[in-house]
Amino acid sequence: MHPRDQTIFALSSGRAPSAIAVVRVSGPQAGLALTTLAGERPAPRQASHRLLRDGGGQPIDDAVVLWFPGPKSATGEDVAEFHVHGGRAVLAALLAAISVIPNMRAAEPGEFTRRAFENGKLDLTEAEGLDDLIHADTDRQRRQALRQLQGLLGNRARDWRERIIEASALIEAGIDFSDEGDVPAELRVPAVKAIKALHAEITEVLAAQGHSERLRDGLVVAIAGEPNVGKSTLINQLTRREVAIVSPHAGTTRDVIEVQLDLDGYPVTVIDTAGIRETDDPVEQEGVRRARARAEDADLVLWLVEGGHAVDPGAMRSLGKSGPSSDRSRGSVWIVRNKIDLGGAGGVGLHGEFGISASRGDGVPDLIDALVKFAAEFFGTTEGALVTRARQRDLLRRASDSLRRSLELVEDGEELAAEELRAAAYALGRLLGRVDVEDVLGAIFQKFCIGK
């Protein structure tokens, strides 16, 4: 039997132990699982209280069961759900009882969602939105993912694809009636008008400001500087907990420490790096190398210096950064003067510099406020963002390029224009996951958790 014809089952709720656990079964044997364990099937889509028993008649648990006959189910197949007490022993007994039913097997990661996709319950953009929703850490990520799951991009792509096919039909009809004098020209005019409108719409989406794709991964901020200037103390202050070892001895931080923050709904990864200096210690040398590499890739570097000490521009150039910027909304490096409690000016200083005391917290709220503003400008407006993944942007760009080429070619040869329109429709079909996407399906669905 092909794996897709088998019935799959998995725990679809959180890790045990828990108050309630949900075990989901999907496939042709889902109904048999219900009758075997619960005695009979309940009415469709109605919760029913049952005593579950294994194949030997031994009780497993008092449970609530539900029956969703296909195709009106989450996966498009017959689906059964068992809501049981979330103890490990209960779950082990239930999963063991399900596994001995013929043609049953444990689900692979993302297999429930993949079956929903294959049965037309959602397109690939909606599946990607579901994946993003599962992994959302902040409220802004959640809202963006939910819009995708609700079909924000998928609905527009389907409309674009239908309109491309209609324009293509007009162009190809003109080819068929090429010997009818002015008939091709009459068909070409509305087709060209439709193609121009489509190209303008897709180009506008691609040109929209914002970094909605980056909202999924978050802003990366690296804390860098020479040893013993308070980098680890600052990251502990930002996270309000001790994630890094603080010591008066230089070179304490040997590896890169990462923490995830939620700053006003914006996901921010803060990196504490090893102090950048010349050293003969091979372990510390590796820490400095990693610190430089991560700082080079960061979206923003907070360069810490002590109080009134001079900033070494050569050290920042070694990070591949342009140096301090007076424009805090676009600067690649911010100068943060630490230990102002030991002398020196506090608050925001000249040229957009910050004065803080990482140990006492002085000036840190101002720094956090600036980081929130930086994140807001970095991500731009994402409330109406259609594109949230590089894959989506690439395919939309291919569709846009094909539409542009079709407009350039339509006067010279309708056959060439029609071929470019087919390429545009094909790109949107790939975006929705309806044509030639087998190579990307595994990469997408294997990131889902088991039971989803």
Side-chain angles (χ1 to χ4, degrees), residues 238-311:
L238 292 174
T239 60
R240 295 187 176 90
R241 57 192 175 94
E242 292 188 5
V243 296
I245 298 173
V246 177
S247 167
H249 302 290
T252 301
T253 301
R254 298 297 185 94
D255 206 348
V256 174
I257 298 173
E258 297 186 13
V259 293
Q260 277 69 46
L261 300 181
D262 180 345
L263 294 184
D264 193 31
Y266 296 109
V268 178
T269 299
V270 181
I271 302 171
D272 177 24
T273 63
I276 296 177
R277 67 171 180 174
E278 297 299 325
T279 176
D280 295 327
D281 185 334
V283 178
E284 191 177 353
Q285 286 177 349
E286 176 62 17
V288 171
R289 185 195 67 79
R290 294 185 183 186
R292 285 186 171 131
R294 293 309 304 271
E296 286 176 4
D297 294 335
D299 302 304
L300 174 67
V301 173
L302 304 182
W303 184 268
L304 260 66
V305 294
E306 284 194 30
H309 289 196
V311 178

Side-chain angles (χ1 to χ4, degrees), residues 421-438:
L421 290 177
R422 281 192 287 270
Y426 181 78
L428 293 178
R430 293 200 67 188
L431 175 66
L432 295 167
R434 295 306 171 204
V435 293
D436 189 29
V437 292
E438 193 65 30

Side-chain angles (χ1 to χ4, degrees), residues 83-336:
H83 296 235
V84 298
H85 295 97
R88 292 188 179 91
V90 173
L91 285 172
L94 177 57
L95 295 174
I98 294 174
S99 66
V100 298
I101 298 173
N103 297 321
M104 288 278 188
R105 65 172 175 85
E108 298 176 356
E111 193 168 5
F112 286 97
T113 306
R114 178 159 183 165
R115 289 193 176 195
F117 163 76
E118 290 171 343
N119 291 322
K121 289 296 179 177
L122 72 172
D123 63 40
L124 200 52
T125 65
E126 293 164 344
E128 289 170 328
L130 177 58
D131 181 36
D132 291 343
L133 189 61
I134 292 169
H135 294 99
D137 293 320
T138 72
D139 191 58
R140 293 180 190 275
Q141 288 177 318
R142 176 192 62 79
R143 294 203 301 266
Q144 176 173 283
L146 187 59
R147 288 193 298 270
Q148 286 290 58
L149 178 58
Q150 293 173 335
L152 181 67
L153 175 59
N155 292 339
R156 289 287 298 276
R158 273 187 289 275
D159 175 64
W160 289 331
R161 190 166 185 263
E162 290 173 1
R163 289 159 61 190
I164 289 173
I165 292 172
E166 291 173 0
S168 180
L170 292 174
I171 294 292
E172 293 187 16
I175 297 172
D176 293 337
F177 292 97
S178 58
D179 57 347
E180 296 294 330
D182 58 354
V183 172
E186 292 177 356
L187 296 173
R188 189 187 309 130
V189 171
V192 169
K193 182 179 179 181
I195 297 169
K196 286 181 178 179
L198 283 163
H199 182 255
E201 289 180 28
I202 297 177
T203 301
E204 182 180 4
V205 169
L206 290 170
Q209 295 299 312
H211 292 69
S212 52
E213 296 105 312
R214 289 300 310 275
L215 187 62
R216 295 176 53 248
D217 301 321
L219 176 71
V220 178
V221 177
I223 302 176
E226 296 179 356
N228 215 28
V229 293
K231 298 183 295 298
S232 297
T233 306
L234 177 57
I235 197 171
N236 288 342
Q237 187 72 240
L238 292 174
T239 60
R240 295 187 176 90
R241 57 192 175 94
E242 292 188 5
V243 296
I245 298 173
V246 177
S247 167
H249 302 290
T252 301
T253 301
R254 298 297 185 94
D255 206 348
V256 174
I257 298 173
E258 297 186 13
V259 293
Q260 277 69 46
L261 300 181
D262 180 345
L263 294 184
D264 193 31
Y266 296 109
V268 178
T269 299
V270 181
I271 302 171
D272 177 24
T273 63
I276 296 177
R277 67 171 180 174
E278 297 299 325
T279 176
D280 295 327
D281 185 334
V283 178
E284 191 177 353
Q285 286 177 349
E286 176 62 17
V288 171
R289 185 195 67 79
R290 294 185 183 186
R292 285 186 171 131
R294 293 309 304 271
E296 286 176 4
D297 294 335
D299 302 304
L300 174 67
V301 173
L302 304 182
W303 184 268
L304 260 66
V305 294
E306 284 194 30
H309 289 196
V311 178
D312 182 3
M316 284 186 291
R317 281 195 294 270
S318 73
L319 303 180
K321 297 297 181 181
S322 58
S325 169
S326 60
D327 186 344
R328 287 183 287 149
S329 67
R330 295 194 302 270
S332 59
V333 179
W334 291 356
I335 302 301
V336 180

